[in-house]
């Protein structure tokens, strides 16, 4: 498996309250440390982008960071101090590249666990495809808003990204959903499903730099990977073959004879 930078496309007809609830879990759950996290949201049209941003800010502010024994926590620490520093450096890179840092999760400390590897949720807006912070996988509690002018641009963004693990589209329009699913150059597609991980008897795996090799995981593809193919060719003559020579001395006509096909 390779890297990931999963996108979530938000169409103008989407239920934004549901989208924000889904993004809160998909982008920030597990501190963003999973290959199927959704770190990029793509609202289609300025009106959609403005409305989505207005709803995201209070939802992110309501996220609770805590330890694993805190049942009310939405996510916990990242894996180690080095990775926390790496995420904070990527946040600074995004600022330096010109993205708008709407919510800054750096400097977060959890009372009683000040030495823990905690980082607060962050939100970027006006992220563009030229920015390295968009191109690379950050693997942390950071959501980036990349605005698309129309449906065609929304299809193109994940399709042209170097990673193609998963993608989601949020819409009430069945035609838009089918068109997007058919055209997008990504291995796993969710329709109103923010983390499109299929059940285990279906295959799991992305495209482009998100996966290497010619088979996916799970399902029949997983069985195929562990299967060594043996081909057996059989023939069962019934014992009624004629003698090699006919009574006139010529070759006998033998319907049971094995004849190798030849050209010409």
């Amino acid at each position: 498996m390779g890297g990931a930078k999963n996108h979530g496309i938000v169409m103008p007809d989407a239920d934004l309250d549901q989208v924000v609830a889904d993004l809160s879990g998909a982008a920030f759950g597990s501190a963003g440390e999973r290959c199927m996290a959704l770190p990029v949201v793509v609202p289609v049209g300025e009106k959609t982008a403005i409305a989505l941003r207005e709803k995201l800010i209070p939802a992110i502010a309501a996220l609770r960071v805590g330890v694993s024994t805190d049942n009310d926590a939405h996510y916990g620490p990242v894996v180690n101090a080095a990775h926390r520093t790496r995420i904070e450096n990527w946040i600074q890179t995004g600022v330096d590249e010109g993205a708008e840092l709407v919510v800054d999760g750096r400097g977060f400390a959890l009372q009683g666990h000040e030495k823990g590897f905690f980082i607060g949720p962050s939100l970027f807006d006006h992220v563009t495809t030229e920015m390295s912070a968009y191109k690379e996988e950050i693997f942390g509690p950071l959501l980036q808003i990349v605005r698309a002018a129309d449906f065609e641009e929304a299809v193109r963004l994940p399709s042209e990204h170097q990673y193609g693990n998963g993608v989601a589209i949020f819409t009430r329009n069945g035609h838009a959903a089918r068109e997007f699913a058919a055209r997008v150059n990504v291995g796993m597609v969710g329709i109103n499903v923010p983390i499109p991980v299929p059940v285990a008897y279906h295959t799991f795996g992305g495209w482009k730099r998100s996966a290497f090799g010619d088979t996916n995981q799970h399902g029949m593809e997983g069985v195929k990977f562990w299967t060594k193919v043996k081909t057996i060719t059989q023939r069962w003559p019934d014992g009624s073959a004629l003698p090699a020579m006919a009574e006139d001395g010529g070759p006998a006509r033998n319907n049971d004879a094995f004849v190798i096909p030849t050209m010409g």
Side-chain angles (χ1 to χ4, degrees):
M1 306 302 291
K5 193 79 172 188
N6 304 329
H7 292 51
I9 312 304
V10 182
M11 296 297 291
D13 68 328
D15 180 344
L16 292 186
D17 291 327
Q18 183 65 57
V19 170
V20 168
D22 289 345
L23 289 175
S24 296
F28 302 105
S30 300
E33 294 180 310
R34 51 186 172 184
C35 67
M36 291 304 291
L38 204 161
V40 178
V41 60
V42 182
V44 178
E46 282 299 304
K47 184 177 179 180
T48 307
I50 293 169
L52 178 64
R53 171 173 162 155
E54 289 179 350
K55 289 179 177 291
L56 274 172
I57 293 172
I60 291 173
L63 291 174
R64 181 184 175 98
V65 183
V67 296
S68 59
T69 55
D70 182 357
N71 292 329
D72 294 325
H74 294 95
Y75 71 88
V78 296
V79 64
N80 54 37
H83 188 54
R84 180 181 61 186
T85 299
R86 179 180 179 274
I87 296 169
E88 291 174 343
N89 289 342
W90 271 118
I91 293 173
Q92 187 57 50
T93 297
V95 173
D96 295 342
E97 291 180 325
E100 179 188 358
L101 183 57
V102 182
V103 180
D104 188 354
R106 293 174 295 180
F108 176 87
L110 185 64
Q111 185 176 3
H113 300 274
E114 287 79 8
K115 294 184 179 180
F117 312 132
F118 297 95
I119 183 169
S122 296
L123 175 66
F124 271 115
D125 195 1
H126 300 288
V127 176
T128 64
T129 57
E130 295 80 17
M131 298 177 181
S132 60
Y134 167 75
K135 296 177 182 178
E136 302 297 332
E137 182 177 27
I138 296 174
F139 216 64
L142 170 62
L143 179 62
Q144 300 171 327
I145 299 175
V146 181
R147 302 184 180 209
D150 51 32
F151 178 77
E152 291 299 321
E153 185 178 4
V155 174
R156 188 169 63 252
L157 283 167
S159 296
E160 294 181 352
H161 199 279
Q162 64 171 330
Y163 296 123
N165 205 37
V167 69
I169 183 170
F170 301 95
T171 182
R172 293 186 175 101
N173 187 310
H175 173 72
R178 289 190 297 271
E179 184 78 2
F180 180 82
R183 292 173 53 189
V184 70
N185 186 26
V186 175
M188 293 179 284
V189 181
I191 298 173
N192 297 311
V193 177
I195 301 180
V197 178
V199 291
Y201 45 80
H202 291 285
T203 63
F204 174 93
W207 291 357
K208 298 177 287 188
R209 291 182 57 82
S210 290
F212 303 97
D214 57 358
T215 59
N216 282 347
Q217 301 180 46
H218 307 312
M220 290 309 298
E221 288 286 290
V223 174
K224 179 180 176 182
F225 179 82
W226 292 105
T227 301
K228 185 176 182 179
V229 177
K230 177 182 286 187
T231 303
I232 301 173
T233 303
Q234 301 187 56
R235 177 171 173 259
W236 295 88
D238 62 6
S240 62
L242 298 174
M245 299 294 292
E247 293 181 357
D248 60 3
R253 182 177 179 81
N254 187 349
N255 291 331
D256 287 334
F258 179 69
V259 179
I260 297 178
T262 58
M263 297 181 65

